[in-house]
Amino acid sequence: MDKFDMILSIFLIFIFSFVFLPIVYMILNPGDLSQLIDREVIEAFKTTLLAGAVATSIALIFGIPTGYVLARHDFAFKSFIEAVLDLPMAIPHSVVGIMILSFIYGVDFIKFVGEYIVDNFWGVVVVYLFVGIPFMINSIRDGFLSVDEEIEHVSRTLGASKLRTFFEISLPLIKNNIISGTILSFARGISEVGALLIIAYYPKTVPILIYERFMSFGLNASKPISVAMIAVSVVLFALFRMFGKIKK
């Protein structure tokens, strides 16, 4: 290894340590893990995982056709639409909450929706969907872009309809993109805090409970639940990396 490569390796080691060491320290010093069997903690995990599953399912239903259209068609304002769909990744979390809440109560004919959203399970789902949908759409769009259109054309020339080609040829070829998008969308959703503090503090999700216990009781009270969330995140991203390698 020459001097240049050694210098670059130092940067790699530094940034890896910056991310890795706090995670390892947290896992080795989890605090009182008996807190994890507390009823409030269990209910928070149920809410988080169930809302994440519902939001991700909705994202998948809308993400597949949206990703296909963006990959296969050129139309007016396409770049603008893609930019708007990516915006949730850039908007600050608290602004997301204020924006959604303002929209609900600012548009007269949908004000009634507020009672089903504010401090409600469906409010958690809405937030998770809003912040997670760009990851689903982008992953699926990239998948369709990687599929040679000639394969679809051949299928149709052999007598298959466009619908049959879509379900029997195109979708199976992007299954790993669908799985990756699902994992990323789910992971982004369940990590959300800022928007939920504004829209749906209740029922409490795990990140909200961690925040509450830290503010009320300090670092030690929030550590065990944080370690559990780290474990969930590690599993999710291990799956993501695994499917990423399979795709290659």
Side-chain angles (χ1 to χ4, degrees):
M1 182 181 294
D2 59 30
K3 186 179 293 186
F4 178 72
D5 289 334
M6 288 182 63
I7 293 172
L8 295 183
S9 298
I10 291 171
F11 281 92
L12 169 63
I13 292 169
F14 177 82
I15 201 65
F16 174 80
S17 301
F18 177 76
V19 174
F20 183 68
L21 293 179
I23 294 174
V24 171
Y25 181 83
M26 191 74 164
I27 292 172
L28 295 178
N29 298 273
D32 183 11
L33 292 178
S34 65
Q35 289 187 36
L36 297 179
I37 60 173
D38 180 78
R39 181 176 179 80
E40 188 177 35
V41 175
I42 294 172
E43 288 301 317
F45 268 99
K46 284 181 180 179
T47 298
T48 301
L49 298 177
L50 180 58
V54 172
T56 304
S57 298
I58 297 171
L60 186 61
I61 292 169
F62 285 90
I64 289 175
T66 301
Y68 183 82
V69 170
L70 293 175
R72 288 289 182 260
H73 300 285
D74 289 318
F75 47 87
F77 306 112
K78 179 181 175 180
S79 295
F80 173 74
I81 290 171
E82 288 180 319
V84 170
L85 291 174
D86 282 340
L87 268 179
M89 294 189 291
I91 298 174
H93 302 187
S94 56
V95 175
V96 169
I98 292 170
M99 185 172 59
I100 295 174
L101 203 61
S102 297
F103 178 72
I104 291 172
Y105 288 121
V107 181
D108 289 338
F109 67 88
I110 64 167
K111 281 184 178 179
F112 73 94
V113 175
E115 65 181 285
Y116 302 103
I117 300 297
V118 178
D119 285 337
N120 190 287
F121 172 81
W122 290 105
V124 180
V125 172
V126 167
V127 170
Y128 283 3
L129 178 61
F130 190 89
V131 300
I133 192 67
F135 297 92
M136 182 72 78
I137 292 173
N138 288 340
S139 182
I140 291 173
R141 181 196 59 201
D142 291 346
F144 283 124
L145 286 172
S146 69
V147 175
D148 190 345
E149 289 188 67
E150 286 300 316
I151 298 175
E152 297 173 337
H153 292 323
V154 169
S155 173
R156 291 200 290 273
T157 58
L158 292 175
S161 66
K162 208 166 187 178
L163 186 64
R164 184 178 177 184
T165 298
F166 178 78
F167 281 104
E168 295 186 8
I169 302 296
S170 305
L171 273 186
L173 288 174
I174 68 158
K175 64 180 181 179
N176 288 325
N177 291 85
I178 293 173
I179 293 169
S180 297
T182 298
I183 293 169
L184 286 173
S185 182
F186 182 83
R188 175 62 188 89
I190 66 171
S191 67
E192 180 58 35
V193 178
L196 291 180
L197 288 172
I198 294 169
I199 294 179
Y201 194 94
Y202 300 100
K204 293 175 188 174
T205 61
V206 177
I208 290 289
L209 184 60
I210 292 170
Y211 170 81
E212 183 182 82
R213 293 207 172 177
F214 175 75
M215 296 301 291
S216 300
F217 306 109
L219 187 61
N220 289 334
S222 62
K223 281 172 64 176
I225 316 174
S226 300
V227 169
M229 277 300 286
I230 290 172
V232 171
S233 300
V234 168
V235 170
L236 287 173
F237 279 93
L239 290 172
F240 172 69
R241 298 300 297 176
M242 180 180 72
F243 283 110
K245 288 181 179 180
I246 291 174
K247 184 170 62 176
K248 295 175 182 178

